[in-house]
Amino acid sequence: MVVAIDLKLYVESWEMKDPIVVSRGTYSQAQLVVVELTRNGVIGRGECCPTAHYGESVDSVCEQIRGIRSELQQDLSRQQLLESLPPGAARNGIDCALWDLECKEEGVSIWDKLGLQKPERLATAMTVVLGETDKMAEKAREFQAFSTLKLKLGPLQNAQNLRAVRAARPDARLSIDPNEGWTPELTQDLAPVLDEVGIALIEQPLPAAADQPLENMALPAPLCADESFHSSADLPQMHGRYRYVNIKLDKCGGLTEALNILELAPKYDLIPMVGCMFGTSLAMAPALVVASQCSFVDLDAPLHFSEDRDDNYTIKNGEYLLNSSSVWGG
């Protein structure tokens, strides 16, 4: 007999330590949705972050999730979920809750369930948000424990900001993220400065709808698709334009699809990295599974909140200590 799954949703507001400034706006708090699935007294949880830039809101995501309540009660599988909902935050919340529920029901960790070796620790990049040049350099020095820094950049003061951060952290691996805020001309003009300071990765410089000029652009570092890339269905279009694709569970719609991307990306000569929207340790836990297979890891979201969940991960010397929390995945 199929035992029905009980669905509950919780909408939570999380305050930032400091406002997060990127080229398209400033964020002082995040609205997160927690999905809770219960079967036979066992509870699985998933967390997702609705993203307005992708046409999502808390209300729309909750409506999507509630819309498949009856399918969940009929024992909807994770593979069936891929067909029931499109990529996005709603599917991510349900998918991760299903993984958590299965692990707890089976009494295994997510690592054992997937046949993966669990690392003791995983390093993450730390984001230096867009701001005045001296402030960005100050933050770069403050984040001394992080071996990789990601710089948020905009249309102005890029050369000054890049040189100041490099002077502050000559030891760091630097990536940049203009969040679609550049033009082809600006991207090309900044190429000598990017080469001078030794940028390791350039993430989504042009708008997703207008990134075709990147195909023929000579740049000193590989390009990574973020806003242009959501799910495995986008992989063919990324080939030849980008070298990396940024897997975010809230974009692709969960760990199940993220694992598909990890498997399929090399067939298109693409290298996966892992990033995140806003989220607590509950959202980072499934992303850390993806991170174990990536060389670029950008999962610093919990560090930007004023607080994290009670069963949070310890991050020491820029690294997640994976045995420090059992917040998700068995």
Side-chain angles (χ1 to χ4, degrees):
M1 181 180 70
V2 175
V3 179
I5 289 179
D6 180 56
L7 167 68
K8 292 182 180 178
L9 295 179
Y10 303 91
V11 177
E12 302 174 345
S13 294
W14 292 78
E15 298 294 325
M16 303 293 179
K17 289 179 184 176
D18 299 299
I20 301 296
V21 183
V22 302
S23 62
R24 68 169 66 101
T26 301
Y27 305 88
S28 58
Q29 69 169 207
Q31 296 284 106
L32 307 178
V33 177
V34 175
V35 180
E36 186 177 282
L37 302 179
T38 304
R39 182 164 54 198
N40 284 332
V42 180
I43 299 174
R45 296 187 303 159
E47 178 187 299
C48 62
C49 178
T51 303
H53 188 64
Y54 299 134
E56 296 176 334
S57 67
V58 167
D59 289 342
S60 71
V61 166
C62 289
E63 183 179 355
Q64 277 187 296
I65 295 170
R66 293 189 185 103
I68 64 165
R69 183 191 297 269
S70 61
E71 294 176 67
L72 283 167
Q73 291 175 337
Q74 296 171 34
D75 202 27
L76 179 75
S77 71
R78 286 180 287 99
Q79 289 302 319
Q80 290 169 329
L81 178 63
L82 293 178
E83 301 172 4
S84 297
L85 284 178
R91 194 172 77 185
N92 178 37
I94 298 171
D95 181 75
C96 290
L98 284 171
W99 277 106
D100 191 37
L101 179 63
E102 291 172 18
C103 288
K104 289 182 169 67
E105 288 176 329
E106 296 168 20
V108 298
S109 73
I110 186 66
W111 303 93
D112 290 337
K113 187 173 177 66
L114 291 172
L116 296 174
Q117 181 68 38
K118 180 181 181 181
E120 291 186 5
R121 57 189 67 222
L122 278 170
T124 179
M126 186 63 175
T127 301
V128 177
V129 301
L130 184 61
E132 294 298 323
T133 298
D134 57 349
K135 185 67 173 178
M136 293 183 71
E138 178 186 335
K139 283 294 182 182
R141 284 188 290 269
E142 180 183 323
F143 300 148
Q144 191 70 42
F146 295 86
S147 59
T148 299
L149 297 178
K150 181 170 81 169
L151 279 59
K152 293 290 189 178
L153 297 176
L156 303 173
Q157 291 185 280
N158 290 294
Q160 301 96 303
N161 293 345
L162 285 162
R163 289 178 174 128
V165 169
R166 173 50 81 199
R169 285 295 308 278
D171 60 311
R173 181 174 68 164
L174 298 182
S175 69
I176 61 168
D177 184 6
N179 286 109
E180 304 179 279
W182 289 359
T183 63
E185 295 75 19
L186 179 58
T187 305
Q188 193 68 80
D189 288 347
L190 283 169
V193 182
L194 300 177
D195 187 34
E196 172 193 330
V197 300
I199 294 300
L201 192 69
I202 303 167
E203 195 171 335
Q204 197 72 46
L206 305 185
D211 64 354
Q212 190 276 335
L214 295 174
E215 288 185 9
N216 303 309
M217 195 173 294
L219 295 169
L223 287 161
C224 177
D226 183 3
E227 287 86 351
S228 290
F229 174 75
H230 290 252
S231 69
S232 57
D234 298 324
L235 288 170
Q237 289 72 49
M238 301 302 102
H239 177 67
R241 192 166 298 182
Y242 296 95
R243 188 72 178 92
Y244 285 77
V245 289
N246 191 341
I247 301 174
K248 293 180 179 177
L249 271 61
D250 277 314
K251 283 193 307 176
C252 73
L255 179 58
T256 302
E257 174 64 0
L259 296 172
N260 290 339
I261 296 169
L262 286 174
E263 180 181 355
L264 293 172
K267 298 179 182 180
Y268 296 93
D269 196 29
L270 293 164
I271 303 171
M273 68 161 283
V274 63
C276 60
M277 304 301 187
F278 297 127
T280 70
S281 282
L282 178 57
M284 298 307 107
L288 286 167
V289 175
V290 183
S292 70
Q293 313 296 308
C294 297
S295 57
F296 272 92
V297 175
D298 180 18
L299 298 177
D300 62 344
L303 295 169
H304 295 285
F305 288 142
S306 298
E307 57 183 346
D308 197 354
R309 299 195 181 275
D310 291 338
D311 190 9
N312 63 292
Y313 283 104
T314 298
I315 300 178
K316 185 177 181 180
N317 296 325
E319 297 178 316
Y320 276 86
L321 306 184
L322 269 67
N323 292 320
S324 64
S325 175
S326 57
V327 67
W328 179 92

